[in-house]
Amino acid sequence: MSSKVHGRERGRGRGRTAVRGSVLVGLLCVLLLAGLGYFVWELRGIAANRAAGDPATGIYQQDPERADRTASAVLDGIVREDPEPPRDGKAFADGGARMDWRSAGWQPSDPLEARPAPAEPAIGALFSPGTDGDPDHHCSGVVVHSPGGDLIVTAAHCVYGGGFRTNLAFAPGYRDGVAPYGVWVPTRIDVDPRWTEDQDPDHDIAFIRLRRPGYPGQRLEDVTGAQTIAFRPELPAPARLVGYPNASEQPLECRNTAVADGPTQLRLDCADVPNGTSGGPVLTDGRTLIGVIGGRDGGGDEETSYSSYFGDDTRALYERTTTSP
């Protein structure tokens, strides 16, 4: 195709082509320089918001002052806190609706497409304010029960890529610019060393311990409730996925049967689960967590979502996170 275009230009006369060529070359140079400038700016933003942590163990201890600055940036025009959480959220105060989907006549979504859903206290959006190229919220997460009452789980690719993200904040129950249960920041991030080494999709899981700046002693789980995490879940199982798309200010959900996709991946076929839902929960029996969107292909494609299987390695990661000081 390009050779035909060049042949027509040569047939129109050398002088005219030379002038037009000079203009085109100039425009291309401007565009290339602008693109290069943006790329350098973005790299600086990424580098400014990454820390090495300890990649050999997959542990990052967050600097409290940096975390407080992140919370302030999120609350400065991106999100506002609501001092009175919505009353309908109380239905989820124990971590989710207690419902046996089998006896309640559970059915998959029809059609198998994700649709907008009400916000839930234990499920929220992950924010990364700054100049690292992400929109305001870029991933999702879910509160899971832990001895310290301060734990969420998300996808490892949401928190580590070329280093640990240092500008993370979690807004549980987020909806339309409001964080009804506050803005929480990491104290510690744990991923499997096989993720920090080569981004192994079988270990695309991260646990994050959180605190709420300005509220010393407040425990996340006491505010939002928590889901119960299941290790080595039996598959297939009726399941529901939930997540926050980048371009949406409310979550979406889809129901279908979760199945094994080999020994290390869980698969749930549902269309229209876009970027931003990574790290969102895959739940069975209403409140039991069996996966988070991630794993193979960065979480899936237009028709299918994946999760790394919650096996013995995930159990070990959870126990390391919850038993460490």
Side-chain angles (χ1 to χ4, degrees):
M1 183 179 292
S2 59
S3 62
K4 291 182 179 179
V5 171
H6 291 163
R8 285 201 301 269
E9 287 294 325
R10 283 196 295 270
R12 289 177 180 173
R14 187 175 181 88
R16 186 177 178 187
T17 302
V19 172
R20 182 174 295 174
S22 298
V23 173
L24 289 174
V25 169
L27 287 172
L28 285 172
C29 288
V30 170
L31 290 173
L32 286 172
L33 287 172
L36 180 61
Y38 177 81
F39 180 69
V40 170
W41 173 82
E42 191 174 57
L43 283 179
R44 286 178 178 173
I46 292 172
N49 294 304
R50 295 290 190 279
D54 185 352
T57 61
I59 297 173
Y60 173 61
Q61 300 279 1
Q62 174 68 294
D63 174 67
E65 292 185 2
R66 179 172 284 184
D68 287 350
R69 290 197 298 270
T70 297
S72 296
V74 170
L75 290 168
D76 185 17
I78 301 176
V79 169
R80 65 179 178 87
E81 293 183 314
D82 188 342
E84 296 184 6
R87 292 183 180 274
D88 58 4
K90 299 299 183 182
F92 297 93
D94 66 348
R98 294 178 180 269
M99 177 177 63
D100 185 334
W101 287 355
R102 293 178 179 87
S103 62
W106 176 88
Q107 294 292 328
S109 298
D110 184 18
L112 285 174
E113 299 172 355
R115 289 290 181 264
E120 302 175 32
I123 301 170
L126 277 173
F127 289 77
S128 288
T131 56
D132 53 358
D134 277 320
D136 292 336
H137 59 84
H138 64 91
C139 273
S140 307
V142 56
V143 184
V144 290
H145 177 65
S146 67
D150 61 351
L151 193 66
I152 68 169
V153 61
T154 185
H157 73 257
C158 293
V159 304
Y160 185 95
F164 287 92
R165 284 182 182 263
T166 62
N167 60 337
L168 283 172
F170 179 65
Y174 178 74
R175 174 72 184 261
D176 295 330
V178 177
Y181 306 97
V183 171
W184 302 72
V185 294
T187 60
R188 171 180 168 133
I189 302 173
D190 281 75
V191 299
D192 192 291
R194 283 164 286 193
W195 178 263
T196 58
E197 182 180 358
D198 60 3
Q199 282 72 67
D200 184 341
D202 292 339
H203 301 281
D204 193 4
I205 301 164
F207 290 100
I208 309 176
R209 291 168 58 175
L210 301 169
R211 65 179 175 85
R212 186 180 181 187
Y215 293 80
Q218 188 175 76
R219 300 191 339 154
L220 174 63
E221 190 172 329
D222 294 339
V223 176
T224 64
Q227 310 292 356
T228 301
I229 189 169
F231 301 107
R232 300 185 65 83
E234 293 186 6
L235 299 173
R240 174 175 67 109
L241 62 77
V242 186
Y244 284 81
N246 285 346
S248 176
E249 295 299 277
Q250 71 179 93
L252 53 72
E253 68 174 11
C254 188
R255 301 183 308 276
N256 200 1
T257 300
V259 299
D261 196 293
T264 59
Q265 297 283 319
L266 173 153
R267 190 185 86 233
L268 193 143
D269 295 324
C270 269
D272 300 334
V273 183
N275 291 341
T277 55
S278 289
V282 180
L283 300 161
T284 189
D285 292 335
R287 66 188 301 267
T288 302
L289 182 74
I290 61 172
V292 291
I293 301 171
R296 183 170 297 158
D297 298 331
D301 53 30
E302 291 81 1
E303 302 293 334
T304 299
S305 293
Y306 293 99
S307 167
S308 302
Y309 183 70
F310 281 12
D312 292 339
D313 290 334
T314 305
R315 182 196 298 272
L317 185 64
Y318 170 86
E319 290 176 351
R320 184 186 80 179
T321 306
T322 55
T323 59
S324 298

